[in-house]
Amino acid sequence: MELARGWFGTDLGPYRCDDGTYDYFPAESLPPLPEPLFDGRFAWLAGARDPRVAYMRPIDARTDMGAGLPDPFVEFMGRPELSGAVPSCTACWWQRPARPVPSPVGAGARLLRFLNDQQDCLFWYLYLEPDGGHRVVAGGINYDTWAEDGIDETDAAGDLVEVAPDFERFVYRFWVENLAWFEVVGQERDWDALSPPVRNYLAHYRSAVGS
């Protein structure tokens, strides 16, 4: 079974509308990411914090990581200065890694939860492939206990969406989308006052609405 590919995002003011806390946006509708940035070290995340932005509580999971996890994930989750630099307009929080659980999609694949919505609307997971590869997926089911909770395997499989091809690209899109919400919706900044990463990201939507 192929996973759907897309993003669960929030309202971005005049650039992208959302009917609820999160809406689903197909992968082909999303802004492209600045590919040269991604080398597993998250250097793009360094910089001054905006006191008007709500950042997530940092996590230091250096002592909790098992073997076989992707290097960028281990790097990020073991450095509080990185996890604490990511904002969330919906009060999401980092999950301390526990044990991977079997995925309802993909023979031998496992899921490792690392991020939670405050009200459990969504959960985000590493999708760990048997060959050592990984992706990031999200859904509304807590897959740590889906089998014990009696959730049908077909329903569980249909709930999952691939939201990024790897962990660093997921963190970038999550970071810039939430930063965009704070600047556009929370602070009502004009276009020229947006930070460069947000302006570059929203240019994709701005051209579509003809602003």
Side-chain angles (χ1 to χ4, degrees), residues 156-205:
D159 174 69
L160 279 176
V161 172
E162 180 184 329
V163 294
D166 60 57
F167 182 72
E168 187 174 10
R169 285 170 176 79
F170 167 78
V171 175
Y172 186 92
R173 194 180 297 278
F174 190 90
W175 169 76
V176 75
E177 287 238 345
N178 280 275
L179 194 60
W181 185 94
F182 280 104
E183 294 186 9
V184 172
V185 180
Q187 301 168 19
E188 299 183 341
R189 294 193 197 182
D190 294 331
W191 177 257
D192 291 339
L194 297 174
S195 63
V198 169
R199 192 164 55 244
N200 292 339
Y201 190 78
L202 293 182
H204 172 84
Y205 294 118

Side-chain angles (χ1 to χ4, degrees), residues 15-187:
Y15 306 104
R16 189 182 72 193
C17 296
D18 184 359
D19 294 330
T21 304
Y22 300 99
D23 208 347
Y24 172 74
F25 301 96
E28 60 270 18
S29 73
L30 298 171
L33 299 184
E35 289 301 323
L37 289 181
F38 307 123
D39 60 5
R41 292 180 290 185
F42 300 89
W44 49 267
L45 197 49
R49 288 164 55 105
D50 186 335
R52 298 166 292 178
V53 170
Y55 293 90
M56 287 194 286
R57 183 185 297 275
I59 186 171
D60 185 348
R62 280 174 292 188
T63 61
D64 301 320
M65 301 260 226
L69 297 178
D71 289 342
F73 181 78
V74 174
E75 173 79 4
F76 182 89
M77 298 298 278
R79 292 177 58 189
E81 73 274 17
L82 295 180
S83 56
V86 179
S88 173
C89 63
T90 53
C92 289
W93 53 279
W94 299 114
Q95 170 72 38
R96 192 171 294 279
R99 59 180 180 86
V101 297
S103 168
V105 180
R110 299 172 299 150
L111 300 175
L112 181 65
R113 181 161 52 104
F114 66 85
L115 181 64
N116 307 268
D117 171 73
Q118 181 192 41
Q119 299 182 353
D120 292 348
C121 296
L122 282 172
F123 305 92
W124 288 265
Y125 303 82
L126 284 184
Y127 181 90
L128 301 168
E129 299 167 335
D131 64 0
H134 80 281
R135 292 175 272 171
V136 176
V137 298
I141 293 174
N142 184 340
Y143 286 90
D144 291 356
T145 58
W146 70 272
E148 296 92 327
D149 293 341
I151 297 172
D152 180 79
E153 185 170 348
T154 301
D155 293 339
D159 174 69
L160 279 176
V161 172
E162 180 184 329
V163 294
D166 60 57
F167 182 72
E168 187 174 10
R169 285 170 176 79
F170 167 78
V171 175
Y172 186 92
R173 194 180 297 278
F174 190 90
W175 169 76
V176 75
E177 287 238 345
N178 280 275
L179 194 60
W181 185 94
F182 280 104
E183 294 186 9
V184 172
V185 180
Q187 301 168 19

